């Protein structure tokens, strides 16, 4: 534990598609625990395994309000089976893209099929914040970052900033 850390852009690993989880075994449960603690510590509301260097189709999230009890959700091998409408997510951000936010065009409604960590099949109908979060996290599992979905002009501004910071190190 605590050997995992959050990878950030431009780490090439973040653009790799992930492999399906084949066994929800003890190793998977330990990964879920580690990812949850990293996410809460960050703090963030969602985290995909690829962001901590694990090439598996698994994500965790918790969108419960901060003053309420934690409600960790674990999605294994999730896929979007239906999507409808469009919305613009305001100030979308990502733990792997620090210090940058942007509005992103997203589907307004999604239907996601997956398993939870007790091997129970789930179907999640989502809109609003949850729909955006699921699209963002499932994008990670396909090697896509939210900055891949904004205009090349805006992306260029961020890329130049990152390059400058790397050169100054
Ligand atoms: Ni992200």
């Amino acid at each position: 534990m605590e050997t995992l850390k959050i990878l950030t852009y431009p780490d090439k690993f973040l653009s790799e598609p992930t492999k399906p989880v084949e066994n929800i075994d003890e190793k998977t449960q330990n990964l879920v625990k580690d990812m949850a603690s990293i996410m809460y510590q960050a703090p963030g509301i969602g985290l995909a395994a690829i962001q901590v260097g694990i090439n598996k189709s698994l994500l965790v999230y918790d969108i419960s309000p901060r003053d309420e009890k934690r409600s960790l959700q674990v999605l294994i091998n999730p896929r979007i089976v239906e999507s409808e409408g469009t919305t613009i997510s305001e100030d979308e951000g990502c733990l792997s893209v620090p210090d940058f936010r942007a509005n992103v065009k997203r589907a307004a409604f999604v239907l996601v099929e997956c398993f939870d960590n007790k091997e129970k099949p789930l179907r999640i109908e989502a809109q609003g914040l949850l729909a955006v979060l699921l699209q963002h996290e499932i994008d990670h599992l396909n090697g896509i970052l939210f900055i891949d979905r904004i205009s090349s002009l805006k992306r260029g501004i961020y890329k130049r900033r990152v390059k400058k910071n790397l050169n100054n190190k």
Side-chain angles (χ1 to χ4, degrees):
M1 171 62 202
E2 294 312 328
T3 49
L4 298 178
K5 62 181 185 96
I6 296 174
L7 306 178
T8 56
Y9 175 87
D11 195 308
K12 290 265 185 294
F13 197 68
L14 290 168
S15 52
E16 300 228 343
T18 55
K19 297 182 179 79
V21 175
E22 279 166 16
N23 294 301
I24 305 177
D25 53 14
E26 204 189 325
K27 216 173 134 191
T28 308
Q29 305 296 359
N30 287 335
L31 174 61
V32 166
K33 272 186 219 153
D34 290 354
M35 283 172 60
S37 84
I38 289 168
M39 180 184 75
Y40 286 123
Q41 206 178 351
I45 57 171
L47 187 69
I50 189 92
Q51 292 180 271
V52 292
I54 308 288
N55 195 7
K56 290 282 176 193
S57 180
L58 187 156
L59 63 91
V60 296
Y61 69 89
D62 186 346
I63 53 166
S64 58
R66 240 170 234 189
D67 50 349
E68 278 175 31
K69 227 178 120 214
R70 281 177 179 179
S71 171
L72 182 74
Q73 310 295 320
V74 182
L75 305 194
I76 293 170
N77 301 339
R79 51 194 195 96
I80 294 171
V81 292
E82 262 179 63
S83 60
E84 227 178 86
T86 55
T87 187
I88 304 290
S89 69
E90 269 177 50
D91 284 338
E92 199 168 318
C94 178
L95 295 174
S96 294
V97 185
D99 306 317
F100 185 71
R101 291 191 169 265
N103 299 348
V104 184
K105 194 174 164 197
R106 297 287 190 187
F109 164 89
V110 290
L111 173 62
V112 170
E113 288 184 353
C114 60
F115 290 89
D116 71 6
N117 58 333
K118 290 167 188 93
E119 293 187 40
K120 195 176 111 190
L122 297 178
R123 274 165 75 87
I124 303 170
E125 285 180 21
Q127 52 187 345
L129 173 65
L130 182 57
V132 170
L133 178 138
L134 291 173
Q135 290 169 82
H136 178 115
E137 299 307 331
I138 292 170
D139 267 355
H140 274 302
L141 302 180
N142 294 313
I144 298 166
L145 296 174
F146 81 97
I147 51 172
D148 297 322
R149 295 198 181 275
I150 61 178
S151 73
S152 55
L153 184 77
K154 275 191 200 151
R155 186 167 53 245
I157 292 169
Y158 182 70
K159 283 186 175 178
R160 276 194 297 279
R161 205 163 86 198
V162 170
K163 216 171 164 185
K164 212 169 134 192
N165 287 343
L166 288 177
N167 289 341
N168 289 343
K169 266 180 193 163

